[in-house]
Amino acid sequence: MQKSVRYNEGHALYLAFLARKEGTKRGFLSKKAAEASRWHEKWFALYQNVLFYFEGEQSGRPAGMYLLEGCSCERTPAPPRTSAGPAGARDALDKQYYFTVLFGHEGQKPLELRCEEEQAGKEWMEAIHQASYADILIEREVLMQKYIHLVQIVETEKIAANQLRHQLEDQDTEIERLKSEIVALNKTKERMRPYHSHQEDEDPDIKKIKKVQSFMRGWLCRRKWKTIVQDYICSPHAESMRKRNQIVFTMVEAETEYVHQLYILVNGFLRPLRMAASSKKPPISHDDVSSIFLNSETIMFLHEIFHQGLKARLANWPTLVLADLFDILLPMLNIYQEFVRNHQYSLQVLANCKQNRDFDKLLKQYEANPACEGRMLETFLTYPMFQIPRYIITLHELLAHTPHEHVERKSLEFAKSKLEELSRVMHDEVSDTENIRKNLAIERMIVEGCDILLDTSQTFIRQGSLIQVPSVERGKLSKVRLGSLSLKKEGERQCFLFTKHFLICTRSSGGKLHLLKTGGVLSLIQCTLIEEPDASDDDSKGSGHMFGHLDFKIVVEPPDASPFTVVLLAPSRQEKAAWMSDISQCVDNIRCNGLMTIVFEENSKVTVPHMIKSDARLHKDDTDICFSKTLNSCKVPQIRYASVERLLERLTDLRFLSIDFLNTFLHTYRIFTTATVVLAKLSDIYKRPFTSIPVRSLELFFATSPNNRGEHMVDGKSPRLCRKFSSPPPLAVSRTSSPVRARKLSLTSSLNARIGALDLTTSSCSSSPTTHSPTASPPPHTAAVLESSPADRAGDSTELSPCRSPSTPRHLRYRQPGGQAADSSHCSVSPASAFAIATAAAGHGSPPGFNNTERTCDKEFIIRRTATNRVLNVLRHWVSKHAQDFELNNELKMNVLNLLEEVLRDPDLLPQEKKATANILRALSQDDQDDIHLKLEDIIQMTDCPKAECFETLSAMELAEQITLLDHVVFRSIPYEEFLGQGWMKLDKNERTPYIMKTSQHFNEMSNLVASQIMNYADISSRANAIEKWVAVADICRCLHNYNGVLEITAALNRSAIYRLKKTWAKVSKQTKALMDKLQKTVSSEGRFKNLRETLKKNKNHSSWPCSCNPPAVPYLGMYLTDLAFIEEGTPNFTEEGLVNFSKMRMISHIIREIRQFQQTAYRIDQQPKVIQYLLDKALIIDEDTLYELSLKIEPRLPA
């Protein structure tokens, strides 16, 4: 039925004129006004299906009009009258004839009319009934049913005619064959006629015998052909062809459905919203419409053409040729790249537009269209995302049932390969684009802006809330208390870690971020990370006890300003370890790249980017590795598929180490290898570091001169390449020098004008950073000398080493020498030796000069030092972030301890490496990790109090806080290994994933407790009050970011035993019902928990928070398990060639990292034993069957 018409004023006036002159029915009627009891007399004229009314009979312009098509007219009783007024007037009104016109349009009010006489009223009702075309519509429906029946008959006749046509063709073939046989027989008869000319007519018996023989020959022939046909029908080839045809038919049906979905998207949403954007008060702008729908209209036109081609090919069935259609379609499918690349941004724009009430109301009106079948706009926008993979799956199935000699085989294989390549490109572009969008989202939140986030090489690592401790003179920490509310409120900072920078922001009341004026943007190349307070620093000792060893320092040494120190507090030791590991990893990458750049460029005249670019193994596909086009944080292509050996090689490549690769590898390595193999590789790299760099890179590294090339070429049997027989370090350490005084080291070396003189000033980390003057550009070929201050040479002997992280060695700075004369006892050395001197002098005394033999070893020394740092870095990351691996595997723990003890015995070990090794040993050897978090078993033991609280005496706040505490304790106890391999869906799930099953059991018990508590009340008012209280508890859980608790309570309220209690729900207030609907919408599973994901991406104070909401939080675990199941079922762990699907590992790692982010931050909620005892009391829980029986007893079923 037509719901709207195009209105033209001139046309309407003309129709009104015709109605006045030639109307079917004309006369005065009373029309009910908007007020309840007022009637106005109007002059009505009915023309065809349009009812006009005028102010009077002589009026030329109509006051209004009604479209009567599809309406219904019925008589209504006279409305009740008040006692006021004369009795005669009331009787006259009661005798009048009332009737109402009901329109089929949504939202249009009925038209109430009355007339003076009953006969006139009946005539008006009859005329309106005829004008509504109701009989015609009914007749149309009947004719449509007959038409459908006839179409079915025609289709059946077509099938029968097709079968008869095939039979006629077979009979024609048989006739032609018989004719040819007759001709052959006639020729034979002609040849045999001379021999039978003397014979007379044959005997009748002979004729009968020949007739029987002919019949038998025909019967045998038909039987043979029938056997041949039946054998073919049962053959594998025929079965394959039937399946192939079925796949084609399914593909056509799916394409028809997809085109219909695109049609609804364009005509039901895109074009109406374009018109709305052009209105006087647009609820949405044209730019937002373009951002939401992208190029979906072009995609619809493309698939309409493809769909028409498919239907044309079906007309030629059973000859189905599809390859040429895909040849035409493939070049145009590139339009999907734009759609897929911007899909996430499209949904974000739509979510922001929904904040506008006018737009949200208009969108719901569009979504209420019956053609949408209850689907939302987001659902239609998601359909094109799955089209390319659907084509790939269809072609894969089609090729499985296409013989190798088939004419379309090669074309279909080519189409499949092109689609897979397009899918890979789209996946890579989405990953790269999402990283850029995330950076831009953070940049937009910062009021002052942040230019460093506009660099595409910046990769987001992590974010979170830390507390910045204020400092006073000389770098001493102010004596503040960790539990101080002022410190928590004033010192709380939002911190963002990227691959090159560390941002520290404050949050305003409106949710906006402001960079700190001093130290808001820290360049990691200028930072030194101090993990633990130095034993020699009394203030650090005090701060360590004061802050519970949750603090860490970042010493910043900018080249154009005075150094300063930033002291930060983490919420827990796990959070501190995670921040320390990630920051040190970023610094390591920058420092390692800078070190390798100096070494390679100064020794071999080959730049590091050129060395990496020249190594084809880092970017060129091979039989054991396949790369994507997306670059990681080190500007090296990400690995898509690779063998285990190539993954271990990437893990130990000394030239770079991507953080995302390291996280992905350590999260998922147990899927494709074992911890023993990984540790063996690390041990091998430590003992034989030259095996970690490919031969081509080593050739570039040692290509300084013909003499050196022959001396330093890699030889597996060379004693220089094994640490057991390694040469001593290229410096002599003075045991009488003091490590706590500053030293100045200079080198007599010819450096080019770009580098200048090298200043290797070092200081102990226990003292406050000293102020350095800005660097000046030195003249070309400036000479430098190696010297040591007298105070250093006269210092006392000490064994104290600086408390620097192994990942943060002293970086190199350049200065112009102050005119010191070169000492004749010091010889010139290379920049690699300079690095060795600088790093060694940071913890020991000033070394003497090198001899010629030691200078030839500086390159090997640098490689060994870099390899040691790499091994320690990986081990530290492994031990700090994946301690469960060592808790569950004692053999692995002992092997790591043995390797670290072997590292400590290395005579070439630098102080930083020694300190790092000792820290890892201390962290690994502790039986108790000093975990301050509670465990569920401990809570149960602590709740053995004599008397538990009852539900009536507990407040909603107490219940919500303790439910949140319990939920987070259970959620935090899940080890990340249980998220691998879908163990929760196996038969032995209780053994493989006990903690996930415990989480599920806890969810069910809490939900049962809520339902049982409500059903325990006998009267309606108490049950309604209990429901309102539990809804309030759920809302407080939402404010605490405990969405698991929200779902526990809403799931209980939606149980059939409670949901059916109509009388109880009638007593619940409207505000509570509205709040419950809001909570249910938040945790709804619709669209793979779309609303819950958006909520987790929003901050409670700012709606456009780019990352996850601030921990602590308890998300619903089932959402992540659904994602993991989707990844596990959709993609295999290994390719057909046996390579590890590392793209899948990267997706799994991303989900696990998000889960662990919420696990690591605990709630600061005090435990209340009486409340927890009530929540964990299983005696209060009623089973499901008993609950339903009790529900039926409270409110029995109504009779049918």
Side-chain angles (χ1 to χ4, degrees), residues 37 125 235 377 414 423 634 698 724 727 786 813 1150:
S37 60
M125 287 183 61
S235 66
L377 175 57
F414 174 77
S423 178
C634 300
L698 287 175
K724 185 177 181 180
S727 59
L786 177 65
R813 302 192 311 275
H1150 176 76

Side-chain angles (χ1 to χ4, degrees), residues 12-64:
L13 292 175
Y14 177 72
L15 290 177
F17 175 74
L18 291 178
R20 289 179 56 83
K21 297 184 65 177
E22 305 175 2
T24 308
K25 183 70 176 174
R26 291 168 291 177
F28 284 97
L29 292 174
S30 296
K31 174 178 175 292
K32 188 175 182 180
E35 295 79 3
S37 60
R38 298 190 62 183
W39 294 79
H40 299 286
E41 188 176 33
K42 306 288 182 180
W43 195 80
F44 283 80
L46 177 62
Y47 181 75
Q48 293 184 357
N49 63 337
V50 183
L51 180 63
F52 295 91
Y53 64 91
F54 303 82
E55 293 296 336
E57 186 175 359
Q58 304 301 325
S59 300
R61 186 179 184 88

Side-chain angles (χ1 to χ4, degrees), residues 381-668:
L381 290 173
T382 308
Y383 286 137
M385 297 290 293
F386 304 102
Q387 191 62 15
I388 300 297
R390 188 168 65 82
Y391 282 149
I392 296 175
I393 295 173
T394 301
L395 288 177
H396 181 77
E397 295 175 350
L398 203 60
L399 286 170
H401 299 288
T402 301
H404 289 280
E405 65 277 2
H406 198 278
V407 66
E408 288 190 305
R409 178 79 186 188
K410 292 184 178 180
S411 298
L412 293 177
E413 289 177 344
F414 174 77
K416 180 173 175 285
S417 64
K418 287 296 183 182
L419 285 172
E420 289 175 343
E421 180 181 356
L422 177 62
S423 178
R424 286 194 295 268
V425 171
M426 289 161 53
H427 179 272
D428 297 339
E429 288 182 349
V430 167
S431 301
D432 197 19
T433 305
E434 283 306 308
N435 178 63
I436 295 174
R437 284 212 180 98
K438 184 178 291 184
N439 292 356
L440 291 177
I442 298 175
E443 196 273 339
R444 284 195 298 268
M445 290 180 56
I446 300 175
V447 176
E448 300 84 2
C450 190
D451 294 339
I452 62 106
L453 296 183
L454 303 181
D455 182 7
T456 57
S457 63
Q458 289 278 10
T459 302
F460 174 79
I461 303 300
R462 70 180 291 119
Q463 73 164 88
S465 296
L466 298 174
I467 297 177
Q468 183 176 6
V469 180
S471 57
V472 294
E473 297 179 358
R474 301 179 182 178
K476 300 297 183 180
L477 294 176
S478 60
K479 302 301 182 180
V480 293
R481 198 161 45 86
L482 178 60
S484 172
L485 293 177
S486 62
L487 176 61
K488 291 181 181 178
K489 182 177 180 180
E490 299 175 3
E492 185 173 1
R493 303 287 185 262
Q494 290 297 325
C495 300
F496 301 87
L497 176 62
F498 297 86
T499 49
K500 296 181 181 180
H501 290 81
F502 185 76
L503 305 185
I504 304 177
C505 307
T506 59
R507 183 188 297 280
S508 63
S509 58
K512 287 289 185 179
L513 298 179
H514 297 270
L515 286 172
L516 296 182
K517 295 181 178 180
T518 303
V521 180
L522 306 181
S523 177
L524 295 181
I525 190 62
Q526 301 169 358
C527 296
T528 301
L529 186 63
I530 303 177
E531 301 184 33
E532 300 293 342
D534 193 6
S536 63
D537 194 344
D538 295 336
D539 185 74
S540 297
K541 280 183 179 179
S543 67
H545 293 292
M546 185 190 311
F547 300 131
H549 298 283
L550 299 178
D551 59 320
F552 60 93
K553 301 179 182 178
I554 300 178
V555 180
V556 187
E557 299 174 289
D560 54 352
S562 301
F564 59 91
T565 301
V566 177
V567 183
L568 299 171
L569 290 177
S572 64
R573 294 194 177 185
Q574 287 77 8
E575 277 286 290
K576 175 186 175 182
W579 276 105
M580 297 295 299
S581 181
D582 288 336
I583 294 175
S584 63
Q585 184 63 59
C586 293
V587 176
D588 274 350
N589 285 337
I590 299 174
R591 297 278 172 81
C592 184
N593 291 341
L595 169 63
M596 299 298 284
T597 300
I598 294 175
V599 173
F600 278 85
E601 292 184 358
E602 290 303 314
N603 287 272
S604 51
K605 308 302 180 186
V606 178
T607 63
V608 172
H610 181 266
M611 180 189 69
I612 294 176
K613 186 177 181 181
S614 62
D615 190 357
R617 291 168 60 86
L618 296 179
H619 54 80
K620 187 176 181 181
D621 293 349
D622 203 346
T623 56
D624 58 350
I625 196 168
C626 177
F627 296 96
S628 68
K629 294 185 179 181
T630 304
L631 303 181
N632 59 22
S633 57
C634 300
K635 293 305 176 183
V636 178
Q638 288 184 349
I639 296 176
R640 183 179 296 278
Y641 312 113
S643 63
V644 178
E645 292 75 14
R646 292 299 294 271
L647 292 176
L648 292 172
E649 178 184 314
R650 173 63 66 89
L651 179 70
T652 54
D653 195 326
L654 301 186
R655 294 167 291 181
F656 54 85
L657 179 61
S658 173
I659 296 179
D660 53 356
F661 175 84
L662 180 59
N663 286 327
T664 301
F665 186 91
L666 292 179
H667 275 137
T668 61

Side-chain angles (χ1 to χ4, degrees), residues 346-362:
S346 167
L347 296 182
Q348 291 177 2
V349 173
L350 178 59
N352 292 334
C353 291
K354 280 187 173 181
Q355 303 299 323
N356 185 349
R357 293 184 178 180
D358 294 336
F359 174 79
D360 188 50
K361 181 179 180 181
L362 184 63

Side-chain angles (χ1 to χ4, degrees), residues 140-263:
R140 177 180 175 276
E141 291 295 330
V142 174
L143 292 176
M144 183 58 67
Q145 295 295 330
K146 293 181 179 179
Y147 171 74
I148 294 174
H149 180 65
L150 291 175
V151 168
Q152 293 176 351
I153 295 175
V154 170
E155 291 296 331
T156 305
E157 293 297 329
K158 284 183 179 179
I159 295 174
N162 196 15
Q163 294 175 352
L164 291 175
R165 192 180 301 110
H166 286 300
Q167 293 179 5
L168 291 175
E169 291 175 357
D170 295 340
Q171 291 177 1
D172 291 339
T173 305
E174 184 69 16
I175 290 172
E176 293 296 330
R177 187 185 62 80
L178 292 174
K179 286 182 178 180
S180 61
E181 289 183 1
I182 291 172
V183 171
L185 289 173
N186 288 335
K187 292 181 179 179
T188 304
K189 185 176 180 181
E190 290 293 333
R191 290 196 300 269
M192 296 180 63
R193 183 170 295 175
Y195 300 98
H196 298 280
S197 58
H198 61 282
Q199 296 181 358
E200 297 180 356
D201 294 337
E202 292 181 346
D203 191 359
D205 294 335
I206 299 296
K207 291 182 179 180
K208 292 180 180 180
I209 292 173
K210 288 182 177 181
K211 190 174 182 180
V212 172
Q213 288 177 344
S214 176
F215 174 78
M216 291 299 297
R217 280 195 300 269
W219 179 79
L220 291 173
C221 183
R222 288 192 296 274
R223 182 180 179 185
K224 182 178 180 180
W225 276 109
K226 183 178 180 181
T227 304
I228 292 173
V229 171
Q230 288 179 347
D231 291 343
Y232 175 75
I233 292 174
C234 299
S235 66
H237 182 272
E239 181 66 22
S240 179
M241 288 297 100
R242 282 195 294 270
K243 290 182 179 179
R244 186 177 188 273
N245 290 338
Q246 185 61 37
I247 292 171
V248 174
F249 297 151
T250 305
M251 183 184 72
V252 175
E253 292 175 358
E255 190 70 21
T256 304
E257 177 64 20
Y258 180 57
V259 170
H260 180 63
Q261 292 164 355
L262 292 176
Y263 179 83

Side-chain angles (χ1 to χ4, degrees), residues 304-315:
E304 283 180 343
I305 297 172
F306 182 63
H307 183 236
Q308 293 297 328
L310 285 177
K311 291 197 298 184
R313 297 304 166 87
L314 281 183

Side-chain angles (χ1 to χ4, degrees), residues 94-109:
D94 292 337
K95 293 179 180 180
Q96 290 184 350
Y97 191 85
Y98 294 83
F99 60 96
T100 303
V101 181
L102 302 175
F103 299 95
H105 309 295
E106 297 179 0
Q108 187 169 356
K109 296 182 178 180

Side-chain angles (χ1 to χ4, degrees), residues 294-330:
L294 303 171
N295 56 348
S296 55
E297 193 170 15
T298 308
I299 294 176
M300 183 191 72
F301 293 149
L302 170 63
H303 284 277
E304 283 180 343
I305 297 172
F306 182 63
H307 183 236
Q308 293 297 328
L310 285 177
K311 291 197 298 184
R313 297 304 166 87
L314 281 183
N316 298 326
W317 190 86
T319 305
L320 292 176
V321 181
L322 303 175
D324 56 339
L325 279 179
F326 278 101
D327 292 339
I328 299 173
L329 179 67
L330 285 175

